[in-house]
């Protein structure tokens, strides 16, 4: 729903996320959603006694496959 909001309501063209290299479940989930790896920053984050790469992924609006829904935005007046 966040991607649908970003692409269809905010008219974003790209959404970028990042994860640590050792967060394999998160990386698998993001890739299953359609994100693609665009780069890494080597040893950016310290985790305990070691340094971990940061993996950057993005999705373009053209890659987003969910259908467009019609939205109604209602502002409550107080």
């Amino acid at each position: 729903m966040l991607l649908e909001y970003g692409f269809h309501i905010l008219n974003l063209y790209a959404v970028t996320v990042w994860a640590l290299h050792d967060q394999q479940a998160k990386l698998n989930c993001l890739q299953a959603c359609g994100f693609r790896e665009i780069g890494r920053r080597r040893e950016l984050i310290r985790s305990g006694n070691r340094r971990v790469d940061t993996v950057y992924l993005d999705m373009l609006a053209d890659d987003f496959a969910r259908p467009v829904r019609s939205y109604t935005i209602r502002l409550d007046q107080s």
Side-chain angles (χ1 to χ4, degrees):
M1 284 189 348
L2 287 174
L3 290 171
E4 190 169 345
Y5 177 75
F7 290 130
H8 297 304
I9 301 298
L10 298 178
N11 293 321
L12 299 176
Y13 184 70
V15 174
T16 304
V17 296
W18 63 272
L20 299 179
H21 175 71
D22 60 353
Q23 295 175 323
Q24 197 58 48
K26 181 178 180 178
L27 289 169
N28 290 341
C29 180
L30 290 168
Q31 290 172 344
C33 289
F35 284 90
R36 296 182 189 173
E37 184 175 330
I38 58 171
R40 293 174 181 251
R41 293 203 52 194
R42 298 181 307 146
E43 301 180 0
L44 181 67
I45 303 291
R46 182 184 302 240
S47 177
N49 295 342
R50 60 193 181 91
R51 293 209 170 259
V52 181
D53 293 355
T54 305
V55 181
Y56 293 89
L57 303 100
D58 76 350
M59 181 185 295
L60 302 178
D62 297 339
D63 299 333
F64 187 64
R66 295 202 58 185
V68 176
R69 298 180 185 170
S70 66
Y71 290 94
T72 302
I73 299 174
R74 183 178 62 196
L75 300 175
D76 293 332
Q77 295 180 353
S78 300

